[in-house]
């Protein structure tokens, strides 16, 4: 059985859709909303101790918006998965947590990245101690719903929808954009390989934000709205590092980012993002 904590988010929905109904169970939020508390470990262990052998818990719940208070980020991004790791591992289950590749690429992370890095360190320590814990570092996800308004694609879609200029930096930042369904397939491959510790779900072919924006706006025949270089370049970002594809993901098909993101943006603008 695959248990999903955070089944209502983009990643959680894609995980639930990737398996038959009898193979995956998304827990109700009311069930786990207090599991971040220190005294919840015993109740978590009791909940999972009746699970079928070989079951896994996927902690897909998380906060992304860096503008939210750091205490909220830590409660959801660190304390909740930490308690689940302790309780579920005590019950004999594997646990998967999700972070971001930016954990390893930025020197001065925001609240979101900093808490995911803390979670990654915790997961790595538990894995080194012999627990069946995997921490998957994700690149930028798209597909399966509207893009968050605070992220690059969300701001891009808003500008296109409203027909107003889209101002961005020079756009030299390197990014891998992954369709959420492709990353779920990669996640299953990591599980089947029996891995533990930290794994970055990389395909190894990033593009720059400039390339991505130019392709999208040109494809939609709205290149007149694009203002590259109108905003300053972030001093702390990834401008050179390319993460290699892990051997266990060699058979996974990751759709090309420029075409995939453009198709997604078109679907969002057409009002049908769930099909993108």
């Amino acid at each position: 059985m695959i248990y999903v904590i955070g089944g209502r988010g983009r990643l959680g929905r894609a995980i639930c859709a990737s398996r038959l109904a009898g193979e995956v169970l998304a827990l109700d939020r009311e069930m786990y909303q207090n599991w971040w508390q220190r005294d919840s470990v015993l109740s978590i262990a009791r909940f999972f101790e009746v699970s079928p052998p070989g079951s896994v818990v996927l902690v897909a719940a998380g906060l992304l918006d860096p503008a939210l208070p750091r205490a909220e980020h830590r409660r959801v991004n660190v304390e909740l998965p930490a308690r689940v790791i302790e309780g579920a591992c005590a019950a004999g289950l594997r646990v998967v947590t999700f972070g971001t590749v930016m954990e390893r690429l930025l020197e001065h992370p925001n609240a979101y990245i900093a808490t995911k890095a803390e979670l990654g360190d915790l997961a790595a320590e538990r894995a080194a101690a012999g627990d069946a814990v995997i921490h998957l570092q994700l690149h930028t996800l798209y597909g399966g719903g509207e893009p968050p308004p605070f992220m690059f694609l969300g701001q891009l879609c808003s500008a296109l929808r409203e027909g107003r200029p889209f101002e961005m930096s020079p756009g030299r930042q390197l990014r891998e954009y992954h369709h959420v369904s492709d990353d779920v397939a990669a996640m299953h491959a990591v599980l089947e390989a029996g891995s533990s510790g930290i794994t970055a779900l990389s395909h190894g072919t990033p593009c720059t934000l400039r390339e991505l924006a130019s392709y999208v706006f040109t494809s939609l025949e709205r290149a007149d709205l694009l203002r590259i270089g109108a905003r300053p370049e972030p001093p702390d970002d990834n401008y050179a590092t390319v993460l290699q594809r892990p051997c266990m993901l060699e058979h996974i098909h990751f759709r090309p980012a420029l075409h995939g993101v453009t198709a997604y943006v078109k679907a969002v603008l057409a009002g049908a993002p769930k099909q993108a």
Side-chain angles (χ1 to χ4, degrees):
M1 178 65 70
I2 297 175
Y3 297 95
V4 181
I5 296 174
R8 292 190 289 185
R10 182 187 313 274
L11 179 60
R13 294 194 306 270
I15 291 170
C16 292
S18 71
R19 288 294 186 267
L20 297 175
E23 299 175 355
V24 59
L25 175 64
L27 302 188
D28 291 334
R29 187 173 183 179
E30 293 71 20
M31 172 64 69
Y32 63 82
Q33 64 181 356
N34 293 321
W35 280 4
W36 63 273
Q37 297 175 349
R38 289 185 177 277
D39 61 357
S40 63
V41 174
L42 182 57
S43 61
I44 295 172
R46 287 174 176 169
F47 178 85
F48 289 117
E49 65 185 5
V50 295
S51 302
S55 293
V56 58
V57 184
L58 309 180
V59 189
L63 296 181
L64 282 73
D65 189 348
L68 294 173
R70 192 182 188 93
E72 290 187 29
H73 276 278
R74 197 170 192 285
R75 183 167 61 249
V76 179
N77 293 347
V78 180
E79 295 175 7
L80 171 63
R83 308 292 175 255
V84 172
I85 288 173
E86 192 170 353
C89 285
L93 278 69
R94 288 192 290 172
V95 178
V96 179
T97 61
F98 297 91
T100 168
V101 294
M102 289 301 181
E103 296 169 31
R104 61 175 72 188
L105 297 176
L106 298 188
E107 295 182 6
H108 306 288
N110 57 35
Y112 162 65
I113 298 172
T115 52
K116 288 296 188 179
E118 185 178 353
L119 172 61
D121 291 341
L122 183 150
E125 290 175 4
R126 295 300 298 253
D131 289 326
V133 179
I134 308 168
H135 183 68
L136 299 180
Q137 294 176 330
L138 308 183
H139 290 267
T140 307
L141 297 180
Y142 69 93
E146 286 274 347
F150 57 87
M151 296 188 71
F152 186 77
L153 284 186
Q155 296 166 6
L156 181 152
C157 286
S158 293
L160 284 167
R161 183 179 284 127
E162 298 167 13
R164 57 176 171 77
F166 178 66
E167 297 183 346
M168 59 176 287
S169 72
R172 297 190 307 112
Q173 303 97 311
L174 287 177
R175 292 289 187 273
E176 287 191 21
Y177 273 83
H178 293 210
H179 193 282
V180 64
S181 296
D182 298 343
D183 262 22
V184 170
M187 178 205 72
H188 286 302
V190 174
L191 284 172
E192 291 167 5
S195 299
S196 63
I198 297 177
T199 296
L201 298 186
S202 303
H203 54 53
T205 54
C207 62
T208 65
L209 291 181
R210 180 189 185 109
E211 291 170 335
L212 183 69
S214 296
Y215 192 92
V216 171
F217 277 85
T218 300
S219 297
L220 273 65
E221 300 182 348
R222 292 312 312 262
D224 59 300
L225 295 178
L226 186 56
R227 304 285 191 273
I228 296 175
R231 295 187 178 183
E233 186 171 79
D236 186 16
D237 211 309
N238 178 32
Y239 296 101
T241 302
V242 176
L243 300 179
Q244 299 303 309
R245 180 191 294 232
C247 293
M248 70 187 83
L249 303 184
E250 287 181 353
H251 66 289
I252 300 298
H253 171 69
F254 291 96
R255 61 202 76 185
L258 298 184
H259 296 282
V261 170
T262 300
Y264 168 66
V265 170
K266 289 180 178 178
V268 168
L269 296 178
K274 291 183 179 180
Q275 281 71 48

